[in-house]
Short mmCIF file of all heavy atoms in Angstrom, two decimals:
data_model
loop_
_atom_site.label_atom_id
_atom_site.label_comp_id
_atom_site.label_asym_id
_atom_site.label_seq_id
_atom_site.Cartn_x
_atom_site.Cartn_y
_atom_site.Cartn_z
N GLY B 1 48.27 121.96 117.43
CA GLY B 1 47.91 120.57 117.19
C GLY B 1 49.07 119.61 117.34
O GLY B 1 50.23 119.97 117.17
N MET B 2 48.76 118.36 117.68
CA MET B 2 49.76 117.32 117.85
C MET B 2 49.23 116.01 117.29
O MET B 2 48.07 115.66 117.50
CB MET B 2 50.10 117.13 119.32
CG MET B 2 50.72 118.33 119.98
SD MET B 2 51.11 118.01 121.72
CE MET B 2 51.83 119.58 122.20
N ARG B 3 50.08 115.30 116.59
CA ARG B 3 49.76 113.96 116.08
C ARG B 3 50.80 112.98 116.60
O ARG B 3 51.92 113.35 116.91
CB ARG B 3 49.79 113.93 114.54
CG ARG B 3 48.77 114.83 113.85
CD ARG B 3 49.07 114.88 112.35
NE ARG B 3 48.12 115.69 111.63
CZ ARG B 3 47.07 115.23 110.96
NH1 ARG B 3 46.84 113.93 110.94
NH2 ARG B 3 46.26 116.04 110.32
N SER B 4 50.41 111.73 116.62
CA SER B 4 51.33 110.64 116.96
C SER B 4 52.11 110.95 118.24
O SER B 4 53.34 110.91 118.27
CB SER B 4 52.30 110.38 115.79
OG SER B 4 53.02 109.20 115.96
N VAL B 5 51.39 111.25 119.31
CA VAL B 5 52.01 111.58 120.60
C VAL B 5 52.54 110.30 121.25
O VAL B 5 51.83 109.29 121.34
CB VAL B 5 50.99 112.26 121.52
CG1 VAL B 5 51.62 112.56 122.87
CG2 VAL B 5 50.46 113.54 120.88
N LYS B 6 53.80 110.34 121.70
CA LYS B 6 54.41 109.17 122.35
C LYS B 6 55.27 109.61 123.52
O LYS B 6 55.92 110.66 123.47
CB LYS B 6 55.29 108.40 121.35
CG LYS B 6 54.55 107.87 120.13
CD LYS B 6 55.49 107.13 119.19
CE LYS B 6 54.76 106.68 117.93
NZ LYS B 6 55.64 105.91 117.01
N VAL B 7 55.27 108.79 124.57
CA VAL B 7 56.21 108.96 125.67
C VAL B 7 57.41 108.08 125.37
O VAL B 7 57.26 106.88 125.08
CB VAL B 7 55.58 108.57 127.02
CG1 VAL B 7 56.57 108.80 128.15
CG2 VAL B 7 54.30 109.36 127.26
N SER B 8 58.61 108.63 125.43
CA SER B 8 59.81 107.86 125.10
C SER B 8 59.95 106.68 126.05
O SER B 8 59.49 106.72 127.20
CB SER B 8 61.05 108.74 125.16
OG SER B 8 61.26 109.23 126.47
N PRO B 9 60.60 105.58 125.60
CA PRO B 9 60.73 104.39 126.45
C PRO B 9 61.41 104.65 127.79
O PRO B 9 61.10 103.97 128.77
CB PRO B 9 61.58 103.45 125.58
CG PRO B 9 61.28 103.86 124.18
CD PRO B 9 61.12 105.35 124.24
N ASP B 10 62.31 105.64 127.85
CA ASP B 10 62.97 105.94 129.12
C ASP B 10 62.18 106.95 129.95
O ASP B 10 62.60 107.32 131.04
CB ASP B 10 64.39 106.46 128.88
CG ASP B 10 64.42 107.71 128.00
OD1 ASP B 10 63.33 108.24 127.66
OD2 ASP B 10 65.53 108.16 127.64
N GLY B 11 61.02 107.40 129.43
CA GLY B 11 60.18 108.33 130.18
C GLY B 11 60.73 109.73 130.28
O GLY B 11 60.22 110.55 131.06
N ALA B 12 61.74 110.06 129.47
CA ALA B 12 62.40 111.36 129.61
C ALA B 12 61.72 112.46 128.82
O ALA B 12 61.89 113.64 129.11
CB ALA B 12 63.87 111.24 129.17
N ARG B 13 60.98 112.12 127.80
CA ARG B 13 60.41 113.14 126.93
C ARG B 13 59.13 112.64 126.28
O ARG B 13 58.87 111.45 126.21
CB ARG B 13 61.42 113.55 125.85
CG ARG B 13 62.06 112.37 125.13
CD ARG B 13 63.05 112.78 124.07
NE ARG B 13 64.10 113.65 124.53
CZ ARG B 13 65.23 113.25 125.11
NH1 ARG B 13 65.42 111.96 125.34
NH2 ARG B 13 66.14 114.11 125.47
N VAL B 14 58.36 113.60 125.81
CA VAL B 14 57.18 113.32 125.01
C VAL B 14 57.45 113.85 123.61
O VAL B 14 57.88 115.00 123.45
CB VAL B 14 55.92 113.98 125.59
CG1 VAL B 14 54.72 113.76 124.67
CG2 VAL B 14 55.62 113.44 126.98
N THR B 15 57.22 113.03 122.62
CA THR B 15 57.44 113.45 121.23
C THR B 15 56.10 113.46 120.49
O THR B 15 55.17 112.74 120.83
CB THR B 15 58.43 112.51 120.52
OG1 THR B 15 58.06 111.15 120.77
CG2 THR B 15 59.84 112.76 121.00
N PHE B 16 56.05 114.27 119.44
CA PHE B 16 54.82 114.39 118.67
C PHE B 16 55.12 115.03 117.33
O PHE B 16 56.17 115.65 117.13
CB PHE B 16 53.78 115.22 119.44
CG PHE B 16 54.28 116.55 119.93
CD1 PHE B 16 54.14 117.70 119.16
CD2 PHE B 16 54.89 116.66 121.17
CE1 PHE B 16 54.60 118.93 119.60
CE2 PHE B 16 55.36 117.89 121.63
CZ PHE B 16 55.22 119.03 120.84
N LEU B 17 54.19 114.88 116.40
CA LEU B 17 54.27 115.52 115.10
C LEU B 17 53.39 116.76 115.11
O LEU B 17 52.30 116.75 115.66
CB LEU B 17 53.83 114.57 113.99
CG LEU B 17 54.60 113.25 113.88
CD1 LEU B 17 54.02 112.38 112.77
CD2 LEU B 17 56.08 113.51 113.64
N ARG B 18 53.88 117.82 114.48
CA ARG B 18 53.13 119.08 114.46
C ARG B 18 53.31 119.75 113.10
O ARG B 18 54.42 119.78 112.54
CB ARG B 18 53.62 120.01 115.58
CG ARG B 18 53.08 121.44 115.49
CD ARG B 18 53.54 122.27 116.69
NE ARG B 18 52.73 121.95 117.86
CZ ARG B 18 53.01 122.40 119.09
NH1 ARG B 18 54.08 123.15 119.29
NH2 ARG B 18 52.22 122.09 120.10
N GLY B 19 52.23 120.31 112.58
CA GLY B 19 52.30 121.05 111.33
C GLY B 19 52.99 122.39 111.51
O GLY B 19 53.05 122.94 112.61
N ARG B 20 53.50 122.91 110.42
CA ARG B 20 54.20 124.18 110.46
C ARG B 20 53.20 125.34 110.45
O ARG B 20 52.06 125.20 109.99
CB ARG B 20 55.15 124.29 109.26
CG ARG B 20 56.15 123.14 109.19
CD ARG B 20 56.89 123.14 107.87
NE ARG B 20 57.93 124.13 107.83
CZ ARG B 20 59.21 123.91 108.16
NH1 ARG B 20 59.57 122.71 108.56
NH2 ARG B 20 60.10 124.86 108.08
N ASP B 21 53.64 126.49 110.93
CA ASP B 21 52.76 127.66 110.96
C ASP B 21 52.31 128.07 109.57
O ASP B 21 51.19 128.52 109.38
CB ASP B 21 53.47 128.84 111.64
CG ASP B 21 53.65 128.62 113.13
OD1 ASP B 21 52.94 127.77 113.70
OD2 ASP B 21 54.52 129.29 113.73
N ASP B 22 53.20 127.87 108.58
CA ASP B 22 52.87 128.29 107.22
C ASP B 22 52.30 127.16 106.38
O ASP B 22 51.94 127.37 105.23
CB ASP B 22 54.11 128.88 106.53
CG ASP B 22 55.25 127.87 106.44
OD1 ASP B 22 55.18 126.82 107.11
OD2 ASP B 22 56.22 128.14 105.70
N ASN B 23 52.23 125.96 106.94
CA ASN B 23 51.63 124.82 106.23
C ASN B 23 51.30 123.74 107.25
O ASN B 23 52.15 122.95 107.64
CB ASN B 23 52.58 124.28 105.17
CG ASN B 23 51.94 123.17 104.33
OD1 ASN B 23 50.84 122.72 104.63
ND2 ASN B 23 52.64 122.74 103.30
N GLN B 24 50.06 123.73 107.68
CA GLN B 24 49.64 122.79 108.72
C GLN B 24 49.74 121.34 108.29
O GLN B 24 49.70 120.43 109.12
CB GLN B 24 48.20 123.09 109.14
CG GLN B 24 47.19 122.99 108.02
CD GLN B 24 45.82 123.46 108.42
OE1 GLN B 24 45.10 122.75 109.12
NE2 GLN B 24 45.45 124.67 108.01
N PHE B 25 49.91 121.08 106.97
CA PHE B 25 49.99 119.71 106.47
C PHE B 25 51.44 119.23 106.32
O PHE B 25 51.67 118.08 105.97
CB PHE B 25 49.26 119.60 105.14
CG PHE B 25 47.82 120.03 105.22
CD1 PHE B 25 47.39 121.22 104.66
CD2 PHE B 25 46.89 119.25 105.89
CE1 PHE B 25 46.07 121.62 104.73
CE2 PHE B 25 45.57 119.64 105.98
CZ PHE B 25 45.15 120.83 105.40
N GLN B 26 52.41 120.11 106.56
CA GLN B 26 53.82 119.73 106.53
C GLN B 26 54.25 119.46 107.96
O GLN B 26 54.36 120.37 108.78
CB GLN B 26 54.67 120.86 105.93
CG GLN B 26 56.17 120.60 105.91
CD GLN B 26 56.61 119.76 104.73
OE1 GLN B 26 56.06 119.88 103.65
NE2 GLN B 26 57.62 118.93 104.92
N LEU B 27 54.49 118.19 108.31
CA LEU B 27 54.70 117.80 109.69
C LEU B 27 56.18 117.68 110.03
O LEU B 27 56.97 117.08 109.29
CB LEU B 27 54.00 116.46 109.97
CG LEU B 27 52.51 116.39 109.66
CD1 LEU B 27 51.95 115.03 110.05
CD2 LEU B 27 51.74 117.50 110.36
N ASP B 28 56.53 118.23 111.19
CA ASP B 28 57.86 118.09 111.77
C ASP B 28 57.76 117.32 113.08
O ASP B 28 56.67 117.19 113.66
CB ASP B 28 58.49 119.46 112.05
CG ASP B 28 58.69 120.29 110.79
OD1 ASP B 28 59.00 119.71 109.75
OD2 ASP B 28 58.52 121.53 110.87
N LEU B 29 58.90 116.82 113.55
CA LEU B 29 58.94 116.07 114.81
C LEU B 29 59.39 116.99 115.94
O LEU B 29 60.45 117.63 115.85
CB LEU B 29 59.89 114.88 114.68
CG LEU B 29 60.05 113.99 115.92
CD1 LEU B 29 58.72 113.39 116.35
CD2 LEU B 29 61.07 112.88 115.64
N TRP B 30 58.60 117.05 117.01
CA TRP B 30 58.87 117.90 118.16
C TRP B 30 59.06 117.06 119.41
O TRP B 30 58.66 115.89 119.46
CB TRP B 30 57.70 118.86 118.39
CG TRP B 30 57.60 119.97 117.38
CD1 TRP B 30 57.33 119.86 116.04
CD2 TRP B 30 57.76 121.37 117.64
NE1 TRP B 30 57.32 121.10 115.45
CE2 TRP B 30 57.56 122.04 116.40
CE3 TRP B 30 58.03 122.12 118.78
CZ2 TRP B 30 57.65 123.42 116.29
CZ3 TRP B 30 58.10 123.50 118.68
CH2 TRP B 30 57.92 124.14 117.45
N GLU B 31 59.68 117.69 120.42
CA GLU B 31 59.81 117.01 121.70
C GLU B 31 59.53 117.96 122.85
O GLU B 31 59.73 119.18 122.75
CB GLU B 31 61.21 116.42 121.88
CG GLU B 31 62.29 117.43 122.24
CD GLU B 31 63.47 116.80 123.00
OE1 GLU B 31 63.42 115.59 123.28
OE2 GLU B 31 64.42 117.53 123.30
N TYR B 32 59.03 117.39 123.95
CA TYR B 32 58.88 118.10 125.21
C TYR B 32 59.73 117.35 126.22
O TYR B 32 59.50 116.16 126.49
CB TYR B 32 57.43 118.14 125.65
CG TYR B 32 57.22 118.83 126.98
CD1 TYR B 32 57.07 120.21 127.04
CD2 TYR B 32 57.17 118.11 128.16
CE1 TYR B 32 56.88 120.86 128.25
CE2 TYR B 32 56.99 118.74 129.38
CZ TYR B 32 56.84 120.11 129.42
OH TYR B 32 56.66 120.74 130.62
N ASN B 33 60.72 118.02 126.79
CA ASN B 33 61.62 117.41 127.77
C ASN B 33 60.99 117.49 129.15
O ASN B 33 60.72 118.59 129.66
CB ASN B 33 62.98 118.11 127.74
CG ASN B 33 64.01 117.38 128.55
OD1 ASN B 33 63.92 117.29 129.77
ND2 ASN B 33 65.03 116.86 127.87
N LEU B 34 60.71 116.34 129.75
CA LEU B 34 60.01 116.32 131.03
C LEU B 34 60.87 116.83 132.18
O LEU B 34 60.34 117.26 133.20
CB LEU B 34 59.54 114.89 131.32
CG LEU B 34 58.38 114.40 130.45
CD1 LEU B 34 58.23 112.89 130.54
CD2 LEU B 34 57.10 115.09 130.87
N LYS B 35 62.19 116.82 132.01
CA LYS B 35 63.07 117.26 133.09
C LYS B 35 63.18 118.78 133.14
O LYS B 35 62.94 119.40 134.18
CB LYS B 35 64.46 116.65 132.94
CG LYS B 35 65.40 117.00 134.08
CD LYS B 35 66.74 116.29 133.92
CE LYS B 35 67.68 116.62 135.09
NZ LYS B 35 68.98 115.92 134.94
N ASP B 36 63.53 119.40 132.00
CA ASP B 36 63.69 120.86 132.01
C ASP B 36 62.48 121.61 131.47
O ASP B 36 62.48 122.83 131.36
CB ASP B 36 64.95 121.26 131.24
CG ASP B 36 64.88 120.88 129.76
OD1 ASP B 36 63.77 120.68 129.24
OD2 ASP B 36 65.94 120.79 129.13
N LYS B 37 61.42 120.84 131.11
CA LYS B 37 60.15 121.42 130.66
C LYS B 37 60.31 122.31 129.41
O LYS B 37 59.54 123.25 129.20
CB LYS B 37 59.48 122.21 131.79
CG LYS B 37 59.09 121.34 132.98
CD LYS B 37 58.42 122.15 134.07
CE LYS B 37 57.87 121.26 135.16
NZ LYS B 37 58.82 120.29 135.71
N SER B 38 61.29 121.98 128.58
CA SER B 38 61.47 122.72 127.34
C SER B 38 60.75 122.01 126.20
O SER B 38 60.58 120.79 126.21
CB SER B 38 62.96 122.84 127.01
OG SER B 38 63.53 121.56 126.77
N GLN B 39 60.32 122.79 125.23
CA GLN B 39 59.64 122.25 124.06
C GLN B 39 60.27 122.85 122.82
O GLN B 39 60.43 124.07 122.74
CB GLN B 39 58.14 122.58 124.12
CG GLN B 39 57.34 122.00 122.97
CD GLN B 39 55.85 122.27 123.10
OE1 GLN B 39 55.16 122.43 122.10
NE2 GLN B 39 55.34 122.33 124.32
N HIS B 40 60.65 122.00 121.88
CA HIS B 40 61.28 122.52 120.68
C HIS B 40 61.15 121.51 119.54
O HIS B 40 60.86 120.34 119.76
CB HIS B 40 62.76 122.84 120.93
CG HIS B 40 63.59 121.63 121.25
ND1 HIS B 40 63.68 121.10 122.52
CD2 HIS B 40 64.34 120.83 120.46
CE1 HIS B 40 64.47 120.04 122.50
NE2 HIS B 40 64.88 119.85 121.26
N ARG B 41 61.38 121.99 118.33
CA ARG B 41 61.37 121.12 117.16
C ARG B 41 62.63 120.28 117.18
O ARG B 41 63.75 120.79 117.22
CB ARG B 41 61.27 121.94 115.88
CG ARG B 41 61.22 121.09 114.62
CD ARG B 41 60.68 121.85 113.41
NE ARG B 41 61.37 123.11 113.22
CZ ARG B 41 60.91 124.09 112.45
NH1 ARG B 41 59.74 123.95 111.83
NH2 ARG B 41 61.58 125.21 112.31
N LEU B 42 62.43 118.96 117.12
CA LEU B 42 63.56 118.05 117.18
C LEU B 42 64.11 117.75 115.79
O LEU B 42 65.32 117.72 115.58
CB LEU B 42 63.12 116.75 117.86
CG LEU B 42 64.21 115.74 118.22
CD1 LEU B 42 65.15 116.31 119.26
CD2 LEU B 42 63.57 114.44 118.74
N VAL B 43 63.20 117.54 114.82
CA VAL B 43 63.62 117.23 113.45
C VAL B 43 62.79 118.05 112.48
O VAL B 43 61.56 117.98 112.49
CB VAL B 43 63.45 115.73 113.14
CG1 VAL B 43 63.94 115.43 111.72
CG2 VAL B 43 64.18 114.87 114.15
N ASP B 44 63.47 118.82 111.65
CA ASP B 44 62.83 119.63 110.63
C ASP B 44 62.70 118.78 109.36
O ASP B 44 63.70 118.39 108.76
CB ASP B 44 63.69 120.88 110.36
CG ASP B 44 63.04 121.85 109.38
OD1 ASP B 44 62.34 121.39 108.46
OD2 ASP B 44 63.25 123.07 109.53
N SER B 45 61.48 118.49 108.97
CA SER B 45 61.27 117.61 107.81
C SER B 45 61.86 118.19 106.54
O SER B 45 62.38 117.45 105.69
CB SER B 45 59.77 117.35 107.63
OG SER B 45 59.07 118.56 107.39
N GLN B 46 61.80 119.49 106.38
CA GLN B 46 62.31 120.11 105.16
C GLN B 46 63.84 120.15 105.15
O GLN B 46 64.45 120.27 104.10
CB GLN B 46 61.72 121.50 104.98
CG GLN B 46 60.24 121.47 104.65
CD GLN B 46 59.70 122.81 104.23
OE1 GLN B 46 60.11 123.86 104.74
NE2 GLN B 46 58.75 122.80 103.30
#
């Protein structure tokens, strides 16, 4: 799942909020890099 999906102003990445595997209601900030096609958690809320 993804919430609050946004394309960055420079068009370099897509960011979104995603729940954790052990708690779908605890949201972290993730990014998808459009250049290298990598996806990873950008900011761990905890």
Side-chain angles (χ1 to χ4, degrees):
M2 297 181 180
R3 297 171 179 262
S4 192
V5 178
K6 300 179 184 182
V7 182
S8 63
D10 58 6
R13 49 180 55 85
V14 175
T15 47
F16 52 91
L17 302 178
R18 170 176 282 171
R20 303 169 78 93
D21 290 341
D22 60 347
N23 185 353
Q24 59 187 284
F25 303 108
Q26 178 82 35
L27 304 183
D28 298 324
L29 180 60
W30 288 65
E31 77 155 357
Y32 178 85
N33 190 293
L34 288 165
K35 184 176 181 180
D36 63 21
K37 297 180 172 52
S38 64
Q39 183 176 148
H40 65 275
R41 181 162 51 196
L42 189 65
V43 182
D44 185 326
S45 61
Q46 290 190 324

